[in-house]
Amino acid sequence: MRILIANDDGYLAPGLAALVRACEGLGEIEVIAPEQNASGTSNSLTLSRPLSVFTASGEPVKGYRVVNGTPSDCVHVALTGLLERKPDLVLSGINNGANMGDDTIYSGTVAAAMEGFLFGIPAIAFSQTEKGWAHLDAAARTARSVVEQVLSAQHAAPFLLNVNIPSRADADALPRRITRLGRRHASEPVIRQNNPRGEPIYWIGPAGDAREAGEGTDFHAVANACVSITPLQVDLTHHAALAHWNQHLARSAS
Ligand code: MN
């Protein structure tokens, strides 16, 4: 078993080291992570410049491969030339904060896992629901338990799982629910300020609160003290809308 572990908070993030430690003994582990915090970079690849990789030294990051790019860059480079052998599993995280509902669109944590999935490798993204790394040990034990259980069964096709772990000391004892993504309200307004030259600058505001958070959603599971596990797919096609647009926009050759 070869396991590739990445994240989006950067190679020095405590959540990455915790996940790596938690997975010790499950297989041969390679770590590749961004040099800087790259949260919110989604699936972006760096195409305008080459990427550099260095190997980190000093505990706890000794041996980690570090890329001056995005989470997707890290996994992409690992799978297309850096690693000698293809991993059997890609893990991402543990992220500093929730990745639920619409977050999954922007998340670099989910994107790193998705990059593996796009290459046909099973992948799991892990996030703690609260920022600040409280009870990170419990989250790491939870992640290991999820990985062990996933590895103990056969799965017909590669999969992409998005796991959100409540930031609690008893996280690894909580029930686990298989969920669908909820939805958030629109983001908070942008914060406008002036720079020292009096010119306007804009800070993107925080994500909105949960809007669609009913039974069965990731938000609902976490609000009810459960670990949320959402199986994701990449196909963004709005299948139910195909008939409508066929009627209103399609045209036969004239
Ligand atoms: Mn992050």
Side-chain angles (χ1 to χ4, degrees), residues 37-101:
N37 189 322
S39 296
T41 55
S42 191
N43 298 87
S44 60
L45 290 175
T46 300
L47 303 177
S48 55
R49 57 173 173 84
L51 296 163
S52 306
V53 181
F54 71 87
T55 303
S57 55
E59 294 304 333
V61 298
K62 191 173 174 209
Y64 291 12
R65 248 65 87 83
V66 183
V67 177
N68 60 345
T70 67
S72 294
D73 286 335
C74 292
V75 176
H76 192 95
V77 166
L79 298 181
T80 57
L82 182 77
L83 294 184
E84 277 174 22
R85 295 172 67 177
K86 189 175 138 171
D88 305 294
L89 181 67
V90 174
L91 304 179
S92 178
I94 299 170
N95 187 58
N96 186 22
N99 277 308
M100 300 191 288

Side-chain angles (χ1 to χ4, degrees), residues 8-9 39 95 109:
D8 81 347
D9 294 326
S39 296
N95 187 58
T109 303

Side-chain angles (χ1 to χ4, degrees), residues 91-218:
L91 304 179
S92 178
I94 299 170
N95 187 58
N96 186 22
N99 277 308
M100 300 191 288
D102 311 359
D103 303 337
T104 53
I105 296 289
Y106 300 99
S107 168
T109 303
V110 173
M114 193 180 288
E115 192 68 16
F117 178 68
L118 289 171
F119 279 86
I121 302 168
I124 311 174
F126 293 101
S127 303
Q128 274 196 297
T129 56
E130 306 291 334
K131 287 186 191 288
W133 309 117
H135 309 300
L136 181 57
D137 287 355
R141 286 195 298 275
T142 308
R144 178 180 175 114
S145 162
V146 168
V147 171
E148 280 180 325
Q149 200 168 340
V150 162
L151 293 180
S152 70
Q154 294 284 337
H155 308 284
F159 51 83
L160 175 57
L161 300 178
N162 183 41
V163 181
N164 280 277
I165 303 167
S167 303
R168 296 167 48 131
D170 60 352
D172 54 333
L174 297 177
R176 295 185 202 143
R177 288 202 190 147
I178 305 304
T179 56
R180 67 176 188 278
L181 298 180
R183 292 293 310 274
R184 287 190 186 274
H185 287 285
S187 295
E188 299 292 319
V190 72
I191 295 158
R192 186 187 151 129
Q193 298 172 332
N194 282 338
N195 73 8
R197 291 169 295 285
E199 299 152 344
I201 53 172
Y202 300 88
W203 285 92
I204 302 278
D209 288 332
R211 168 166 65 88
E212 193 184 313
E215 184 97 43
T217 64
D218 44 6

Side-chain angles (χ1 to χ4, degrees), residues 22-45:
C23 289
E24 270 170 19
L26 295 179
E28 206 174 291
I29 296 173
E30 294 273 3
V31 183
I32 184 158
E35 186 171 19
Q36 307 281 337
N37 189 322
S39 296
T41 55
S42 191
N43 298 87
S44 60
L45 290 175

